[in-house]
Amino acid sequence: MNNDQFEAKMRQAEYFHELRLVPGAWVVIRVDGRGFSRFTEKHFQKPCDERFRDYMLQTAQVLLEELTGLYVYTESDEISILIKPNWNLFDRGWEKAVSISAGIASAAFTHACGKVAHFDSRVWLGVNEDAVVDYFRWRQSDAQRCALNGWCYWTLRNTGVNVRQATKRIEKLSVAAKQELLLEYGITFNELPAWQRQGVGLYWEEYEKEGYNPQTDETVKVLRRRVKVDWELPVQQDYKNLLLNFMRASNLV
Ligand SMILES: Nc1nc2c(ncn2[C@@H]2O[C@H](COP(=O)(O)OP(=O)(O)OP(=O)(O)O)[C@@H](O)[C@H]2O)c(=O)[nH]1
Ligand SMILES: [Mg+2]
C-alpha cells in the first residue's frame, strides 16, 4: 500500500466527516452546560442567579458573532443559535458545526466566569419558518416550566424541607397549583423578572452613528450594527411575529 492509498484508507474511517447540514434547511445549534446542576449548585444562587445569567449572555453574544447567527435565545444553561438556510460556514459540515460551537461556548463561558465549564452541542433542522417558530416556542415554554419548578423547589428547600419532600410536594401539581404554592410564600410568579420566566433574546439592530468623510470634509450619518439584548421577550403571537421578522429580513440580504 503506497502513501496515498494509506491516507485514503485512514480518511475513510473519519466516517461522519462528510455529513453536511441539509441544503436550504433552517438550522438551530443548541449548546447546553454539561453537568451544570452540580456546577451551579456550588457557585451560584438558586434558582436564578444574575451573575450566572450574565456569563450565559456573554457566551450567547460570542456565539451570535462567531457563528454569524440571526437570533440567539438563552434560558437556564442552554443557548440556541438560529442560522439562516444559506449559511455556508464550515462548508455546512455537521461535525464542525457541533464541535466548534461547543468549543466556542466552553471557552467563552470559562473566560467570563473564571471557572472551567463545558458545553455539549446539537443541531436541529427546520423545514420552514413555522417549524423555526415552533422550535423557539418550545424552548420558551421549557424556560417557563423550569422557572416555575425551580422557584417552587427552592422556596420549599429554603424553608427547611428536604430534597425528597420538596420533589414529592411539587411533582403532581398543576401550573395553577404551583403558582398558588408560591403565593403562600408571597411570590407572584408572573411578577418575577421576565428573563427568569421567558428567557432572553439577542439579535442585531442597526443604529445611526456620526462619521466623518475626509474627501468632502463633512460629517455624515452612517448605519452600524450592534447586538441588542432583549430582556422582555414577547410570548405567543408577538414572539412569532418577532421571529418571522428576523427570518424574512434575512431573506432580503
Ligand atoms: N443555581 C442556579 N442554577 C441554575 C441557574 N440556571 C440554570 N441552573 C441549573 O442548571 C441546570 C440545567 O439543567 P440540565 O441541563 O438539565 O442539567 P445538567 O446538570 O446540566 O445535565 P446535562 O446538561 O445533561 O449535562 C439545572 O439544574 C438548573 O437548576 C441559575 O441561575 N442558578
Ligand atoms: Mg445542562
Side-chain angles (χ1 to χ4, degrees), residues 47-50 143-144 147 151 189 192-200:
C48 299
D49 185 296
E50 288 184 8
Q144 286 159 350
W151 269 101
F189 183 72
L192 289 170
W195 66 268
Q196 299 186 11
R197 294 174 289 116
Q198 247 85 272
V200 183

Side-chain angles (χ1 to χ4, degrees), residues 32-37 40 44-49 52 76-77:
D32 184 293
R34 171 178 168 236
F36 268 35
S37 300
T40 49
F44 298 100
Q45 278 182 8
K46 303 154 188 101
C48 299
D49 185 296
F52 177 74
S76 185
D77 70 337

Side-chain angles (χ1 to χ4, degrees), residues 195-232:
W195 66 268
Q196 299 186 11
R197 294 174 289 116
Q198 247 85 272
V200 183
L202 288 88
Y203 45 88
W204 298 102
E205 68 173 2
E206 284 191 334
Y207 69 103
E208 264 191 1
K209 195 175 179 262
E210 273 204 352
Y212 172 69
N213 183 338
Q215 274 155 3
T216 58
D217 191 25
E218 277 174 342
T219 310
V220 285
K221 293 239 155 72
V222 283
L223 272 184
R224 290 268 188 281
R225 252 167 43 123
R226 66 184 166 202
V227 174
K228 178 182 161 69
V229 178
D230 193 334
W231 295 98
E232 302 273 343

Side-chain angles (χ1 to χ4, degrees), residues 85-103:
N86 63 357
W87 189 74
N88 215 14
L89 224 55
F90 323 129
D91 197 23
R92 286 181 84 83
W94 177 82
E95 274 193 345
K96 290 252 185 191
V98 165
S99 59
I100 291 174
S101 55

